[in-house]
Amino acid sequence: DVPRRAQGLSDLANNDGFCSSDYGISEASIAKHIDETNARYGGASPQALNGSRIFYVNGNVDPWSGLSIVEPISDDLPAMMVDGASHHAWTHPSKPTDQPSVVQAREAIRAQLATWLA
């Protein structure tokens, strides 16, 4: 089991408070839009809406990973946790200094896409 080191660093109350104070968006409005988004895209159950070929890649030092799918659902809805990686570290341009887990994640993503496109 991969440790969830970044959990609890960002919480809903802080984010809701920022939306309310800076943009005048109420908690009720946020909740309504979250419900609408989950209904449209399936939330934590994308297979319920026949979602497929979605690769859920997360870094275990990314606080947003707590809102993602972190366990594979099916062959067409795989998931991968990248050890020591932050939010979308594998989407940044490659550098010789990239940590091995990010390099391996890029290779796994490319392999999965090649399989789906074949």
Side-chain angles (χ1 to χ4, degrees):
D1 196 13
V2 177
R4 304 304 297 263
R5 295 181 275 209
Q7 291 300 105
L9 296 178
S10 178
D11 64 18
L12 189 58
N14 282 337
N15 288 304
D16 281 1
F18 177 81
C19 291
S20 179
S21 66
D22 290 16
Y23 298 104
I25 302 170
S26 70
E27 287 185 32
S29 178
I30 294 168
K32 175 182 174 265
H33 287 98
I34 290 170
D35 290 343
E36 289 171 356
T37 299
N38 287 339
R40 180 173 186 154
Y41 296 107
S45 303
Q47 72 278 20
L49 297 177
N50 297 320
S52 66
R53 295 186 175 185
I54 303 168
F55 197 174
Y56 297 95
V57 184
N58 297 279
N60 70 344
V61 293
D62 175 8
W64 289 105
S65 66
L67 299 173
S68 185
I69 292 171
V70 296
E71 296 293 331
I73 295 172
S74 69
D75 289 343
D76 272 352
L77 296 167
M80 175 175 57
M81 187 64 71
V82 183
D83 190 41
S86 63
H87 190 65
H88 288 277
W90 47 90
T91 64
H92 301 170
S94 297
K95 296 185 289 188
T97 56
D98 288 340
Q99 64 195 48
S101 62
V102 171
V103 173
Q104 292 166 354
R106 288 186 185 118
E107 291 169 357
I109 293 165
R110 286 185 189 106
Q112 182 62 69
L113 291 173
T115 298
W116 284 339
L117 295 172

